[in-house]
């Protein structure tokens, strides 16, 4: 056992995003709630790079600070799983798998197909997606699924890479809407970019949803409280965190820690999706 009876979570992302983006706060709350039932807690550390993240793991291993860690945001050419194996720290992966480590997965492909199907039913023939960083494996999974689903439906799909920030959501929305052939619908990889995109469209005089449909990937109070309220893909993030904690507790106890699948995100239709003008 470690000294602290803690589970480590290192987030390599700008700290300003952590305060503005609801996803990780709800995810951590789900983990913490389940761990607290077993007199354990989350040890959260925020850094800006994967190198700093690995350095944190080395400190934790040297001082036996944590019993296990939760690894998030798997990336292309990701060195973190190998570093954790070398250090001998038990790990549970949230998202895309890493070797034989127990994993709690989300069905991004199924959720993307739901989103495209919804826009297809509304007659949208040119759609855009403002994604998260393309270095993340789940971003690439969503991109592949989008291009496949849109291609099968005869829809033109445009993908622009954002960074989850309000600034990138606004800037890329403005760029897309100033194209000679702007999309009639935009899907955002998080709620913060979607809210910024909605404001950018308003400033350009583009009416939502009459001239432009918008959809957020995450559903949160941000999505519900905007005017108009955002259509969103809703994942039970709190449950996702609880499932990650369950796998972590199994791992610490030496019990078999089989992979788990979080229920697929579901479409919540609100006020920002409507038939495309060309379909009316």
């Amino acid at each position: 056992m470690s000294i602290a009876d803690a589970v480590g979570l290192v987030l390599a992302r700008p700290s300003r995003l952590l305060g503005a983006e609801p996803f990780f706060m709800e995810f951590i709350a789900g983990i913490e709630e389940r761990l607290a039932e077993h007199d354990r807690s989350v040890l959260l550390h925020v850094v800006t790079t994967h190198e700093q993240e690995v350095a944190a793991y080395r400190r934790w291993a040297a001082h036996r600070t944590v019993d296990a860690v939760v690894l998030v945001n798997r990336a292309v050419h990701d060195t973190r799983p190998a570093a954790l194996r070398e250090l001998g720290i038990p790990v549970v992966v949230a998202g895309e798998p890493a070797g034989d480590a127990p994993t709690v997965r989300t069905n991004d492909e199924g959720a993307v197909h739901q989103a495209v199907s919804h826009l297809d039913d509304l007659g949208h023939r040119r759609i855009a997606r403002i994604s998260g960083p393309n270095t993340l494996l789940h971003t690439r999974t969503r991109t592949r699924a989008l291009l496949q689903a849109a291609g099968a439906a005869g829809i033109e799909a445009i993908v622009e890479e954002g960074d989850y920030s309000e600034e990138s959501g606004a800037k890329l929305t403005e760029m897309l809407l100033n194209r000679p052939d702007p999309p009639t619908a935009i899907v955002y990889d998080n709620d913060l970019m979607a809210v910024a995109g909605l404001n950018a469209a308003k400033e350009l005089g583009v009416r939502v949803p009459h001239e432009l449909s918008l959809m957020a990937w995450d559903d949160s109070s941000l999505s519900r409280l905007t005017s108009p309220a955002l259509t969103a893909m809703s994942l039970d993030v709190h449950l996702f965190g609880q499932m990650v904690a369950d796998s972590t507790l199994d791992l610490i106890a030496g019990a078999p820690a089989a992979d788990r699948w979080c229920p697929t995100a579901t479409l919540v239709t609100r006020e920002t999706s409507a038939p495309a003008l060309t379909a009316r």
Side-chain angles (χ1 to χ4, degrees):
M1 293 289 287
S2 71
I3 297 171
D5 285 341
V7 171
L9 173 62
V10 183
L11 297 180
R13 62 198 296 105
S15 55
R16 63 185 176 83
L17 280 184
L18 189 62
E21 189 180 31
F23 177 92
F24 272 110
M25 291 297 95
E26 189 66 24
F27 177 69
I28 293 166
I31 298 175
E32 183 72 40
E33 179 181 292
R34 186 69 89 236
L35 292 181
E37 297 170 3
H38 298 266
D39 297 319
R40 295 180 183 273
S41 60
V42 177
L43 177 58
L44 175 65
H45 188 44
V46 180
V47 298
T48 55
T49 68
H50 282 173
E51 291 75 18
Q52 292 172 335
E53 182 174 344
V54 170
Y57 296 148
R58 295 191 185 281
R59 290 194 300 273
W60 287 351
H63 297 286
R64 298 176 60 206
T65 307
V66 297
D67 294 314
V69 302
V70 173
L71 182 66
V72 298
N73 283 341
R74 290 272 289 114
V76 180
H77 308 305
D78 200 335
T79 61
R80 296 172 298 163
L84 287 164
R85 284 194 297 272
E86 173 197 333
L87 294 168
I89 302 177
V91 57
V92 169
V93 180
E96 300 289 336
D100 59 358
T103 303
V104 182
R105 303 191 64 178
T106 56
N107 182 10
D108 285 336
E109 295 95 334
V112 169
H113 279 262
Q114 281 188 64
V116 173
S117 177
H118 175 62
L119 296 174
D120 184 24
D121 290 344
L122 293 174
H124 293 276
R125 312 320 301 162
R126 182 181 297 109
I127 66 175
R129 171 170 158 260
I130 297 179
S131 76
N134 196 45
T135 54
L136 299 178
L137 294 183
H138 72 259
T139 297
R140 296 191 176 198
T141 296
R142 293 178 187 180
T143 297
R144 285 193 301 270
L146 175 74
L147 296 177
Q148 189 277 328
I155 297 172
E156 179 186 351
I158 306 156
V159 179
E160 296 291 344
E161 181 183 3
D163 63 6
Y164 295 133
S165 71
E166 176 183 351
E167 293 79 7
S168 71
K171 179 181 178 180
L172 292 171
T173 299
E174 182 178 354
M175 183 193 72
L176 286 165
L177 295 180
N178 282 325
R179 288 170 53 117
D181 52 349
T184 60
I186 305 176
V187 180
Y188 299 82
D189 262 17
N190 75 345
D191 43 7
L192 190 59
M193 291 194 297
V195 171
L198 173 60
N199 290 333
K202 288 179 179 179
E203 290 178 3
L204 290 172
V206 177
R207 297 177 300 158
V208 177
H210 309 288
E211 298 172 285
L212 175 69
S213 288
L214 301 179
M215 185 184 301
W217 188 269
D218 295 332
D219 190 21
S220 69
S221 57
L222 287 179
S223 300
R224 295 187 291 272
L225 295 175
T226 57
S227 180
L230 280 161
T231 292
M233 296 305 301
S234 181
L235 178 72
D236 191 336
V237 179
H238 194 85
L239 174 62
F240 186 29
Q242 290 178 322
M243 293 176 70
V244 168
D246 287 337
S247 290
T248 307
L249 289 166
D250 287 346
L251 186 65
I252 292 170
D259 287 356
R260 290 177 161 95
W261 281 89
C262 188
T264 303
T266 56
L267 175 70
V268 179
T269 305
R270 295 197 181 96
E271 300 168 352
T272 59
S273 56
L277 281 174
T278 54
R280 298 174 193 172

